[in-house]
Structure formats: structure tokens, C-alpha cells
């Protein structure tokens, strides 16, 4: 009998190929987004040659609808999506998890109030409110982040509460209460470590959808900057020239696809691991 | 038990159930109406308070007199609440105001676009719901076999990618570079029904189907697996029931309840998804109307489309709740 | 085994050489199983959790769960071997020739089907009777056989509209509907209160006898078997180690394991101490070639580990078969029973005083005006059926339940409702051990860290705490090496010891034990009771021992408080109360509690 701490969900999930492939894809795209702007030959809005042309000297994959270098714009276009998606997911995650844990632990009145609030947020057609807000205020990064964080938060809160309620009913929480441990300590030290699995799954899923949403807003013309090199926006701009210069559409589309499939694979790997462990009584 | 089959409905129990359901419907409908009111206020407030549509229309350099005249012309100089209640009243009586850009009634502009969008959503639902129920149930029955593995991985990929990316790939594959089977853009003329250009409906419908199917089929698979592992399904087998009865009488009805909710949520989701997909395929629906209205801050159009989508949302959630209660005896009998 | 020597005429079920494996690894779950049941007879199949008894029960219907495969042997009902049937033939047998009553009827009845339909569909499937009218009449008839009303209102109900006892009766009705030859009952009374259990057992006995059904009754509860079964088979680690008539098994247990089982069973009368045994049975894939019990057996010799012992018949006039090389050398089982030491050293100082306590949930009271004292060094047992309010009361004392009024005084100082509002010293001097050791330990915290936590709250520095933790582990018979382990590496008994160590590390005056053995197997339960008795005596603890298991009380408590509907109906000396109960409720409870009767030692 080894006296090793039971391996965490994250560590165990690394044994699955799907998690590893997911991480590789995400790292690849994050690498492109971070390093891209330094290795790009042209600046994002620099004229490189005849518009919508496949073979332009000095470019790899030709030019886009304004004659800008497709590869350079692709290399510049990942940062905004990635940082906005990460920050908004993180915000939604922190607030959502906190609300879910507090609701699960306190039950009763506070639980009702918090979760009803989350339900109301969920009942709103998110994309529409995003479009309405963005239309009137304009595509400001803080607004995009806030909106996406607000769509993330109630979902995380629900999942967290759902995972935490059975834990709250387990007796070790009662044991901690009998010792008079503070609420804060019970939530952070007793409850939180026992819901990390489902939270990790949901965080990855939410990140996937945040990336998709922000890319989608870019596609609808709400990139944070006008004429920015943004993967979503690039798909929108170049799709009419698909037959003559397909790379302007395909390159950013592939980038978004690989990124979201990557985070999706990680979420799936973790969720398979969670389903495999956490069965409770091993010798029952 | 004089002659009558004693598992038939008895009159008294049925009528008390009916009263219970009626009360429940009334309560849920009221809740939906309240939600819509809150949404309407949020939509109206966002389009009016957070920014000035006139500034966005005329640009920042516009002369103050011109701005003022424009505001008066559009009625924006009147108090906020007066305008809100007027708009709300208009919504309920079927007159959601006039377009800011050319002054024609909103309904004239978006009326047949809504029909087109609903048609698209209908086609996508009719394909995706049976498809995803089939995939989910079959994957659960063939758990960890080839069919399950293949569909699980496919569903994972389609669930992760945004619709416009899926749509772009489909365009490359089926409408332009690889095979040219379907048109890349739809061409429905004003006043024509959406099926007048049925070829143009296919790609947007496939894209939406692919966006929705993974979620429903996954839920169905999970629900079905849970049910198949339940004690009562094992018990049904131990009673010697034929496999058909085990699946259709014991397993399937218990798996549909939880799936119903997800189906409804996904139909509601379609209402949002059409915006993106229509924009990609130039499908003449509310998505295009929205795309045209947003850059010129044509608030009445945006407001109306927002309310239309919100209504679909609320109705779908309502139907999901009711459906789940009706197919779950534990919930249904509580109404008596 | 036994059937071969007697007339085969009345044999209803005959299992020979049954082996069932884990499908993936091929490790045996059960092996070399031979069982015979005659018409109208009940065979009690007894074993701890994980011994393979349910697996055998399902195999009698030709069924193996996911990941499990029937490897070989025969399961013969009448002239058919179920192991040789294809899926279609099996379906025609299940529910008709052999039927199954599940452990938990709450989950085994389909929540979406009316119960009338669920019974009717068995009859329809197997074409019972000539027409639908006959089948519908049979539904009503079989319901009356299990004492349920066959009226339309009842048939139209859904499972969740029935009580647990009614649900189990519906399960019985489904099983008996087609008048099968063999019926498998898998712990059918586990979740039921003793009074309901008594009635359900009575029904099973009557029906089996009246219709000449052979019943395989799977259970871990020796007392139930003793009162119900004609024959008993004892399982250990996937093997039947002993079988014979019920009287022989209980009067002359020949296998050392059976001997321990009988010794570990709590007894209501007699002033004897239960004897436990540490360790656990090896799980599939980890079993030795020889006798699996040898690891825990004081008689074990080299012979035992060489190979699995063959059958020895120790019976005189009827078969009594044992698979132990020392079958004839097993010492008298009564030697295992230690006379209970007189534990009446009662100090006259009150440790805990409960005065006029009412407790409830959101306004509804479930505890009504309860008052009693617990002396220093005394153990009071709080006994009651589920819903009696015993847990609510104990949780109120422990500071886990806050909705109560009245006064609870510990060492002269009144207790606040929430433990958070109690002073640290008071919190630490009243400690709680929970029912389920699988849920009472933080899964991601080491044993040492869990035990050290109360000390950290008391302000003890880490180095002293570590020494104290080691000492405490020794005290509960775990080595200090356990400190670095995590709960999922421990057995249920070991976990409960850790929970006890955590409760005692802060040197409390008052210990509350809330059903602490109900999740454990009988040998482990006895060992935990032994430990608690020792600790209570050595540390002079005041103890409140909450349980629904009346026989257990005799072994641990000086006084017993019987609780019903939120009130203490009787409170008195344990022996006195159990032998001469004054109140009607206590009498009924005692009558309903199955006990192992005294079998003559022939």
C-alpha cells in the first residue's frame, strides 16, 4: 500500500491522449499568438501587393481583400481573442465558482437568492444583449470581456453548486463544523479541493465557448479594433474571395478551429478522468 | 374494478391533475412574461441610455443643430420612460415602430425575414432532433464500441468549433473549392418564400444542425447510459422482458425527460445561432437585418429582433419545463 | 453437495462448480460454488460485502453485470441448465421459472410506470393465463398474497407514492406473479425498519412454504438468516466455506470464519462481549491459491495456504460441509466469547445534561421535550427507528443542528446552538464520530493531517501535534505508518478507527457516536465496538451511542434510552430494559428485532 496522495484529476487526465493532443494544440496556437507579431514580415495593415491574389512575391499565402499579407495578419490576429477569452473566462470562473460554493454551503435563503439571480442571467439571450450593448457602446474590449464573463458566470455557478452540494452533505464537512471551523475555511479548504474535477472540466468548456463567442463577435464585425487583425474578423472580410484567395479565410478559420478543438479535447479528457475516479467507496 | 381496466385513467384523478397542470402553466407563463418585461427594459435601456444612436448615425463631427433636429425627428428628445412605454405598447399591438434610417415600419422590413429565419430554424430542428436522439441512444447502447467512439469524437469537434468556422469549412468543401454542389450564398428575393431557393437553405441548415446536434446527442447518450445502468432496467431484464420492451418501455421514457430540456435550450440557441449563420451565407433573415441595422445604429430594428429572439427563448424554456413535468410522474403527481 | 446424497426429487435449484470472473482480467469473483435448494426451502447465503453473494444470486437468473462473465459450471432449475441457454431462452425462464427480488425496491421499480402495469407486464411477457382478464385477476390476487390492496387506486400509483415496505411488497408480488419454482432475494429488507422487516420476512416465509418455492436469500445479516432459513451457506472471498442446516451452522460452526461471524453477532440476552476480527477479505485478483481466510486465521498452517481445502463433512445425521483442513480441530466457539467485564464504575458526576430540548426543521418539531443526563464514564445508548429524532438530537448536542430550544449543559456550562459560537475548549471537549467512514474523512487530506486538525485549533504546535497523532494512531490499533496514508487507501474499519482517533485526540469529555458501525461488516463492527468499549473505560469518557441496532446496545452501553416519535419512551439500565421492557413500544421493538435463537447443540 503506497502512501501517495491520490493523484489529482488534472495529473491523471494527462495520461489520456486526447488531453495531450488538446494541450499540444492549445500551446501551438498560444505560441503563434504570442510570438506571431514579432516574426510577422508585415505589419497588420501594411499593403503587400495586389488584393486577393494567391501568389504575391514576398508573401507565403498571398494577400487579402485589401492587399495585406494574409500570414502576417494571421500572426497578429490571435492575441486579442486569446487574452480577452482568457480574462473573461477567468473572471466568470472566479465569480461563478465563489457564488456556487457559497450557495451550496449556505443553502436556504442565500442559496435561493443567488441561484435565482443566476437563472435570470441564464434566461437572457446572451448573444443578443451582447450585440445590443456593442451596437450602442461600440466594440470596447472591456465591454466584450464583461459580457462574456457574465455569460460564463451563471453556468460555472450552477455546475459548482451542483458538484458541491453532495460534498456538503458528506460528513467530513460536518466534522469540520463540529470543530467550529470558519465558513471561509470550510469553503476553501474542505469544499473547494473536492470539486476541482468538475470545475476543471467546466472551466475548459467555458474557455472553449468564450473563444468561440469572441471569435464570433469578431466575425460579426465587433472586433475590439477597427480593421484589426482578428481571426474572426478575417473570416468575415475574406470569405467572399474564397474561390480566388482561400487562405485569407482558411488560415484564421483553421486557427480558431484548432484552438477550440484543443480546449474541447482538454475538457473531454478531464471529464473522462473525473467520471473514472470519484466513484466513492472503492471496496463497497 | 367492475369490468373497466383498472389501469385506465380514473376521472377524478385526471381532473385534479389537469387543474394542477393548468395552474402550473399559468404560473410559468406569468414568469415568462415577467422575464420578457425585464428583457425588454434591458434592451430598451441599452439601446437608449448607454450611447447615443444619433451620434453613431451622424458621426462625431456632426453639428449640434443637426443632431438636435435629428433627435427631434426620431422622437428621441422625449423622456425615456414615455418612449419605453410607447414602444412596449407598440410591441404588444404589433407595431414595433419605424426604422430610423428610412422611416418605414419595422414590420415591413423584418416581417418576411422572420419567416425566413423561422423556416431555417425549423429545418435545422427537424433534422437535428431525431438525428441527435438516434446518435445518442445508439451510442449509449453500443457504449465504447466503434459507433460510440467515432460519434463521440465527431460531436466533440463540432461542439467546440464556432458556427461560422464550421460554415466556412462547409463552404470550402461543398460550395466552392473542392466540390461545387450547393451555392455559397442564398438568394431569396423579397416577398418570395424561403423554399423558392431551396438549394440556398441547405448549407445554413447543415451548419446549424451541426451546431446543435452534439449537445443534444451527448445529453441523450449520458441520460440513456444512466438509465441503462439503473436497477429498474436490470430488473426489467430479470423479469424476462424482451429487449424491445426493456428499451422502449423502461429505458427510453426515462431518458427523454432530461433530454427534453436540452432540446428546448438548443432550439432557443438556434434563434441566436441564425444571426451568425445567416450573416455567413447571406441568408435573408433576421441575421442579415441585424447586420445591416447595427452599423447605422438603427435601434428599432435591433430592439425588435432582440425581443423576437428573447420570446423564442422564453417560450422554449417554458415548453421544456412543462414537457419535463409531463413525462416525469414524480413531478406530475406532485401537482395533484 | 448435500443434494447428491438425498433424493433428488424435490430439488428445485442445483448449482455445481459455478465460476464467475471479472470479464477483463479473468480474476475469479466466485469459484467452486455448489448449492442445492429443495422445494419450499429457504437457503440463506451469508457473506460480507464483496464476498460475491449478489453475483451468485444474479447468476441463478443467468445474468451477469457489465464487466462480469459467467465462466463455467451449471445452474440447474428443473431439467434446464441456465448456463447453456441462449439469450432468448433465458428471457423465457427469467421471471417465469426463476425470479428476483432486488435489494433496493426504490430504485428497482421503474419510476415512470404504474405499479399495476409493472406487475402485469411480467404476466403478459410470459403469457400467464388464457387471456388478459385472467392476468389482471392474477395481479390482484398476487397483491393480496403480499398483503397489498388490489384496488384500482393502488394499481394506478407510481413507485414514489408508496412507502419503502410497500415498494418491497410490490417487488415480491412481481417475483411471485408467475408462480416461479425458484426465487432469489437479494437483501430485500436492508433499508427497512425492523417492524417492516419483520412483516416482509413473514410474507416471504409464508409464500415460499405455501407455493413450494425454493428461495435463495442473500444477506449479510446472520440474525435474519437464523430466523428465516432452513439451510445456510457461508461465503468468504468468493468461496462457499461452510454449509449445512441452520441449526448446525449456528450451534456447531465448523469453519473458523463462521465461528468468528457467529461470535461477532451482537446478542440481546446473555452478558457476553462481541468478538471482532481485524483485516479484510482479499478482493478478486488478489486472492491466494489456498484458503483466503488463512491470512486472518489463528489456526492457519502451511497446509492451508498450499491449496484451497476440499470438502469435509462434519455432519452426523445430515450433511454439514466445511472447506477447512482444520474442520475437526476448531476449538469450541464459546471460548471466543469473553465475559463482559463489569463496567458499572459509574461516577456520580453529570457530564452532559439535556433539559427540555425540542428540535426540528423549519418549524416542524421532530424532538419533543427530551431530558436526560449522561454521567462521567457512562455510555448511554440512544435507540430508535429511522425518523425517531435520534439523529437530530445527537446533532443538536454536537452543534451540527441549530434549530432547537431548551438547554444542553456540558460540564456545568450551557452549550450554544452552533459549534462556531462555542468556546474552543468546549468545542474540543465534545466530539462526534459519524456513521459513514467513507464520507467523514476529507478524501484529499492525509490521515495524520485529519487527526491533527483539532490540535491545530487548540493551538498545539505542529511538532507536539505530530507526537500526539502517532500516539493516538497506536491507541486505535493502527501503526504510525498510517499517518501518511489517504482515506481511499484504507478499509472501512480502518477509516472508522481514524475517525475515532480524530475525535479523541483533543481529549474530549463527551463522545457522540452516531450509528458508527452501520456501514461496516459484522466482524469489523464487533472490532470497532471492542475498541470503543476499551477507550471509554480507559479514558473515563461520557458517551452517547446512537443506533437503530438494538442488540448492539447490550455490548456497549450501561443505560439505554429508547426514542420514538421524538420522545424518550423508556430510559433505564441496559440489561434490565432489554430483558424486562416496561413500555409497549420497547416491547414491540424487541419482538420485531431478529435475533439468533439458541440452537440445541446436538
Amino acid at each position: 500500500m503506497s502512501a501517495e496522495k491520490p493523484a489529482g484529476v488534472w495529473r491523471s487526465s494527462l495520461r489520456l491522449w486526447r488531453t495531450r493532443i488538446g494541450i499540444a494544440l492549445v500551446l501551438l496556437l498560444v505560441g503563434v499568438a504570442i510570438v506571431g507579431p514579432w516574426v510577422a514580415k508585415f505589419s497588420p495593415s501594411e499593403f503587400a501587393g495586389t488584393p486577393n491574389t494567391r501568389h504575391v512575391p514576398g508573401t507565403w499565402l498571398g494577400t487579402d481583400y485589401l492587399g495585406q499579407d494574409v500570414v502576417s495578419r494571421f500572426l497578429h490576429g490571435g492575441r486579442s481573442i486569446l487574452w480577452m477569452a482568457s480574462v473573461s473566462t477567468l473572471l466568470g470562473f472566479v465569480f461563478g465558482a465563489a457564488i456556487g460554493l457559497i450557495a451550496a454551503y449556505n443553502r436556504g435563503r442565500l442559496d435561493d437568492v443567488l441561484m435565482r439571480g443566476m437563472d435570470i442571467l441564464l434566461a437572457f439571450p446572451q448573444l443578443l444583449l451582447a450585440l445590443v450593448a456593442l451596437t450602442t457602446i461600440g466594440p470596447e474590449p472591456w465591454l466584450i470581456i464583461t459580457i462574456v464573463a457574465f455569460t460564463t458566470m451563471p453556468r460555472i455557478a450552477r455546475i459548482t453548486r451542483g458538484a458541491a452540494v453532495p460534498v456538503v452533505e458528506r460528513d467530513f464537512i460536518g466534522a469540520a463544523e463540529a470543530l467550529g471551523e470558519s465558513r471561509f475555511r470550510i469553503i476553501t479548504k474542505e469544499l473547494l479541493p473536492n470539486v476541482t474535477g468538475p470545475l476543471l472540466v467546466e472551466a475548459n468548456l467555458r474557455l472553449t465557448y468564450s473563444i468561440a463567442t469572441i471569435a464570433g463577435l469578431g466575425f460579426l464585425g465587433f472586433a475590439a479594433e477597427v480593421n484589426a487583425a482578428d481571426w474572426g474578423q478575417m473570416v468575415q472580410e475574406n470569405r467572399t474571395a474564397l474561390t480566388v484567395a482561400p487562405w485569407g479565410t482558411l488560415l484564421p478559420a483553421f486557427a480558431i478551429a484548432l484552438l477550440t478543438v484543443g480546449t474541447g479535447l482538454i475538457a473531454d479528457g478531464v471529464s473522462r478522468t473525473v467520471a473514472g475516479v470519484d466513484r466513492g467507496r472503492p471496496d463497497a | 374494478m367492475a369490468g373497466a381496466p383498472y389501469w385506465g385513467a380514473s376521472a377524478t384523478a385526471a381532473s385534479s391533475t389537469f387543474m394542477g397542470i393548468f395552474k402550473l402553466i399559468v404560473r410559468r407563463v406569468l414568469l415568462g412574461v415577467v422575464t420578457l418585461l425585464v428583457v425588454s427594459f434591458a434592451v430598451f435601456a441599452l439601446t437608449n441610455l448607454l450611447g447615443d444612436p444619433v451620434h453613431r448615425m451622424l458621426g462625431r463631427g456632426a453639428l449640434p443643430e443637426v443632431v438636435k433636429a435629428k433627435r427631434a425627428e426620431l422622437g428621441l428628445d422625449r423622456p425615456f420612460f414615455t418612449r419605453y412605454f410607447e414602444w412596449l405598447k407598440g410591441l404588444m399591438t404589433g407595431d414595433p415602430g419605424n426604422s430610423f434610417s428610412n422611416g418605414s415600419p419595422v414590420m415591413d422590413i423584418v416581417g418576411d425575414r422572420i419567416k425566413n429565419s423561422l423556416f431555417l430554424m425549423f429545418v435545422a430542428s427537424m433534422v437535428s432532433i431525431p438525428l441527435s436522439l438516434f446518435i445518442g441512444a445508439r451510442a449509449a447502447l453500443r457504449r465504447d464500441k466503434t459507433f460510440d467512439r467515432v460519434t463521440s469524437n465527431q460531436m466533440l469537434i463540432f461542439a467546440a468549433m464556432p458556427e461560422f468556422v464550421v460554415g466556412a469549412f462547409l463552404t470550402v468543401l461543398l460550395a466552392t473549392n473542392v466540390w461545387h454542389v450547393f451555392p455559397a450564398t442564398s438568394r431569396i428575393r423579397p416577398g418570395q418564400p424561403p423554399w423558392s431557393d431551396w438549394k440556398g437553405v441547405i448549407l445554413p441548415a447543415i451548419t446549424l444542425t451541426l451546431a446543435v446536434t452534439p449537445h443534444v446527442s451527448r445529453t441523450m447518450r449520458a441520460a440513456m447510459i444512466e438509465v441503462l445502468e439503473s436497477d429498474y432496467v436490470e430488473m426489467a431484464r430479470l423479469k424476462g422482458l424482451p429487449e424491445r420492451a426493456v428499451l422502449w418501455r423502461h429505458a427510453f421514457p426515462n431518458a427523454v425527460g432530461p433530454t427534453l430540456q436540452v432540446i428546448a435550450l438548443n432550439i432557443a440557441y438556434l434563434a441566436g445561432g441564425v444571426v451568425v449563420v445567416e450573416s455567413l451565407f447571406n441568408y435573408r433573415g433576421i441575421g442579415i437585418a441585424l447586420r445591416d441595422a447595427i452599423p447605422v445604429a438603427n435601434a428599432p430594428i435591433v430592439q425588435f429582433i432582440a425581443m423576437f429572439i428573447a420570446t423564442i427563448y422564453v417560450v422554449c424554456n417554458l415548453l421544456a419545463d412543462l414537457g419535463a413535468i409531463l413525462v416525469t410522474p414524480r413531478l406530475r403527481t406532485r401537482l395533484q | 453437495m448435500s443434494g447428491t446424497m438425498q433424493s433428488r426429487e424435490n430439488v428445485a435449484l442445483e448449482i455445481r462448480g459455478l465460476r464467475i470472473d471479472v470479464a477483463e482480467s479473468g480474476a475469479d469473483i466466485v469459484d467452486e460454488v455448489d448449492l442445492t435448494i429443495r422445494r419450499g426451502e429457504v437457503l440463506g447465503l451469508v457473506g460480507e460485502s464483496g464476498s460475491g453473494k449478489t453475483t451468485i444470486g444474479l447468476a441463478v437468473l443467468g445474468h451477469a453485470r457489465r464487466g462480469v462473465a459467467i465462466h463455467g459450471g451449471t445452474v440447474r432449475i428443473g431439467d434446464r441448465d441456465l448456463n447453456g441457454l441462449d439469450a432468448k431462452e433465458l428471457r423465457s425462464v427469467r421471471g417465469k421459472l426463476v425470479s428476483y427480488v432486488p435489494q433496493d425496491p426504490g430504485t428497482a421499480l421503474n419510476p415512470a410506470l404504474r405499479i399495476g402495469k409493472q406487475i402485469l407486464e411480467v404476466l403478459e411477457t410470459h403469457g400467464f393465463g388464457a387471456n388478459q382478464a385472467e392476468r389482471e385477476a392474477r395481479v390482484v390476487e398476487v397483491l393480496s398474497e403480499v398483503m397489498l390492496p388490489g384496488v384500482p387506486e393502488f394499481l394506478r400509483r407510481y413507485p414514489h407514492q408508496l412507502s419503502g415496505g410497500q415498494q418491497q411488497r410490490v417487488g415480491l408480488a412481481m417475483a411471485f406473479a408467475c408462480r416461479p419454482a425458484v426465487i432469489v432475494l437479494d437483501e430485500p429488507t436492508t433499508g427497512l425498519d425492523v417492524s417492516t422487516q419483520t412483516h416482509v420476512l413473514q410474507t416471504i416465509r409464508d409464500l415460499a412454504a405455501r407455493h413450494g418455492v425454493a428461495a435463495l436469500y442473500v444477506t449479510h445479516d446472520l440474525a435474519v438468516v437464523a430466523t428465516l432459513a432452513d439451510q445456510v451457506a457461508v461465503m468468504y472471498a468468493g468461496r462457499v466455506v461452510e454449509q449445512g442446516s441452520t441449526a448446525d451452522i449456528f450451534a456447531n460452526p465448523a469453519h473458523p470464519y463462521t465461528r468468528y461471524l457467529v461470535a461477532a453477532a451482537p446478542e440481546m440476552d446473555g452478558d457476553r462481549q462481541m468478538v471482532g476480527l481485524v483485516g479484510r477479505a482479499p478482493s478478486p485478483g488478489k486472492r491466494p491459491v489456498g484458503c483466503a481466510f488463512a491470512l486472518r486465521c489463528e489456526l492457519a498452517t502451511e497446509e492451508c495456504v498450499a491449496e484451497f481445502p476440499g470438502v469435509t463433512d462434519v455432519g452426523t445425521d445430515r450433511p454439514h460441509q466445511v472447506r477447512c483442513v482444520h474442520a475437526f480441530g476448531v476449538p469450541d466457539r464459546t471460548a471466543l466469547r469473553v465475559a463482559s467485564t463489569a463496567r458499572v464504575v459509574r461516577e456520580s458526576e453529570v457530564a452532559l445534561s439535556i433539559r427540555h430540548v425540542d428540535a426540528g426543521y423549519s418549524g416542524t418539531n421532530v424532538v419533543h421535550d427530551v431530558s436526560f443526563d449522561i454521567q462521567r464514564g457512562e455510555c448511554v445508548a440512544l435507540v430508535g427507528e429511522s425518523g425517531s429524532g435520534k439523529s437530530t438530537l445527537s446533532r443538536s448536542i454536537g452543534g451540527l443542528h441549530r434549530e432547537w430550544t431548551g438547554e444542553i449543559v456540558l460540564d456545568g456550562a450551557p452549550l450554544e446552538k452552533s459549534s462556531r459560537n462555542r468556546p474552543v475548549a468546549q468545542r474540543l471537549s465534545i466530539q462526534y464520530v459519524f456513521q459513514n467512514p467513507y464520507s467523514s474523512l476529507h478524501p484529499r487530506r492525509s490521515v495524520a493531517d485529519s487527526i491533527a486538525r483539532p490540535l491545530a485549533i487548540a493551538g498545539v504546535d505542529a511538532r507536539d501535534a505530530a507526537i500526539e497523532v502517532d500516539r493516538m494512531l497506536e491507541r486505535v490499533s493502527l501503526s504510525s505508518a498510517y499517518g501518511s496514508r489517504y482515506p481511499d487507501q484504507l478499509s472501512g474499519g480502518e477509516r472508522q478507527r481514524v475517525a475515532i482517533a480524530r475525535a479523541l485526540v483533543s481529549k474530549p469529555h463527551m463522545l457522540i457516536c452516531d450509528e458508527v458501525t452501520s456501514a461496516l461488516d459484522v466482524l469489523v463492527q464487533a472490532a470497532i465496538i471492542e475498541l470503543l468499549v476499551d477507550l471509554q473505560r480507559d479514558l473515563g469518557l461520557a458517551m452517547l451511542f446512537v443506533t437503530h441496532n438494538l442488540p448492539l446496545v447490550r455490548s456497549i452501553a450501561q443505560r439505554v434510552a429508547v426514542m420514538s416519535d421524538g420522545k424518550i419512551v423508556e430510559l433505564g439500565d441496559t440489561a434490565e430494559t432489554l430483558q424486562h421492557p416496561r413500555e409497549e413500544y420497547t416491547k414491540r421493538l424487541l419482538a420485531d428485532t431478529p435475533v439468533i435463537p439458541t440452537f440445541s447443540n446436538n
Side-chain angles (χ1 to χ4, degrees), chain B residues 193-247:
Chain B
W195 49 87
S196 63
D197 179 34
W198 63 270
K199 270 191 166 178
V201 179
I202 289 172
L203 280 186
I206 293 179
T207 310
L208 281 176
T209 302
L210 289 178
V212 168
T213 305
H215 301 279
V216 180
S217 70
R218 272 185 179 183
T219 311
M220 184 65 194
R221 178 182 178 272
M224 199 68 182
I225 281 178
E226 197 184 323
V227 167
L228 286 174
E229 289 194 341
S230 71
D231 287 356
Y232 55 82
V233 165
E234 179 173 69
M235 193 63 220
R237 294 207 168 107
L238 292 178
K239 278 155 80 174
L241 298 192
E243 201 56 20
R244 202 169 13 90
V246 172
L247 291 182

Side-chain angles (χ1 to χ4, degrees), chain A:
Chain A
M1 203 188 282
S2 72
E4 225 172 275
K5 184 167 183 164
V9 168
W10 175 245
R11 285 264 293 291
S12 324
S13 75
L14 288 181
R15 272 187 237 134
L16 295 178
W17 273 105
R18 53 187 63 234
T19 323
R20 294 186 194 169
I21 295 171
I23 291 172
L25 287 175
V26 171
L27 285 182
L28 176 74
L29 272 301
V30 169
V32 165
I34 292 175
V35 182
W38 287 314
V39 298
K41 196 169 170 191
F42 297 88
S43 82
S45 51
E46 196 175 333
F47 184 80
T50 329
N52 286 337
T53 310
R54 218 156 170 176
H55 303 287
V56 175
T59 69
W60 274 4
L61 299 171
T63 54
D64 71 355
Y65 77 120
L66 287 179
Q68 302 158 128
D69 175 31
V70 166
V71 173
S72 296
R73 276 176 73 79
F74 160 73
L75 289 171
H76 279 100
R79 275 194 189 177
S80 56
I81 288 184
L82 271 171
W83 83 262
M84 285 199 293
S86 311
V87 171
S88 55
T89 309
L90 190 70
L91 284 175
F93 181 79
V94 169
F95 286 104
I99 289 172
L101 288 173
I102 291 171
Y105 180 60
N106 287 285
R107 292 297 191 84
R109 213 41 185 291
L110 189 58
D111 183 14
D112 280 350
V113 171
L114 286 174
M115 293 326 286
R116 254 332 91 67
M118 294 297 115
D119 284 350
I120 289 177
L121 279 181
L122 278 177
F124 272 49
Q126 318 275 357
L127 181 77
L128 249 290
L129 285 190
L131 291 180
V132 171
L134 289 169
T135 311
T136 42
I137 301 175
E140 305 283 344
W142 67 265
L143 186 62
I144 294 176
I145 288 172
T146 310
I147 290 167
V148 176
F150 262 101
T151 67
T152 305
M153 179 178 71
R155 290 173 171 84
I156 298 259
R158 269 191 158 183
I159 294 287
T160 311
R161 183 182 173 280
V165 163
V167 179
V168 169
E169 278 161 9
R170 295 180 70 174
D171 288 335
F172 68 87
I173 300 291
E177 280 177 353
L179 284 172
E181 304 272 24
S182 70
R183 282 166 208 280
F184 182 75
R185 205 191 137 89
I186 288 181
I187 287 175
T188 54
K189 293 278 163 89
E190 311 277 334
L191 212 45
L192 184 59
N194 289 296
V195 295
T196 44
L199 274 189
L200 205 55
V201 175
E202 195 58 22
N204 271 300
L205 271 183
R206 281 347 315 169
L207 181 61
T208 310
Y209 294 129
S210 297
I211 294 168
T213 307
I214 289 172
L217 288 175
F219 171 77
L220 288 173
F222 294 104
E225 291 164 55
V226 184
N227 191 31
D230 174 287
W231 290 343
Q233 198 172 12
M234 284 173 74
V235 175
Q236 172 72 282
E237 292 162 349
N238 295 312
R239 68 194 169 83
T240 42
L242 206 48
T243 32
V244 281
W247 286 113
T249 304
L250 279 180
L251 200 56
F254 271 126
I256 296 166
L258 292 182
L259 187 59
T260 51
V261 168
T263 51
L265 278 171
I266 298 174
D268 191 56
V270 178
S271 87
R272 277 166 194 253
T273 313
V274 173
V277 290
D278 273 22
R279 283 269 160 85
R281 313 180 50 161
D283 52 354

Side-chain angles (χ1 to χ4, degrees), chain B residues 17 23 44 123 136 142 172 178 180 183 197 200 230 237 241 276 288-289 299 322-323 330-331:
Chain B
T17 310
K23 266 192 225 156
F44 198 79
V123 172
R142 307 275 153 101
V172 171
V178 185
H180 198 140
D197 179 34
S230 71
R237 294 207 168 107
L241 298 192
V276 176
I288 299 294
L322 290 176
R330 188 184 288 275
L331 301 174

Side-chain angles (χ1 to χ4, degrees), chain C residues 359-374:
Chain C
Y361 298 88
S362 46
T364 323
N365 267 5
V366 296
V367 174
H368 306 284
D369 193 25
V370 167
S371 301
F372 65 92
D373 290 350
I374 300 174

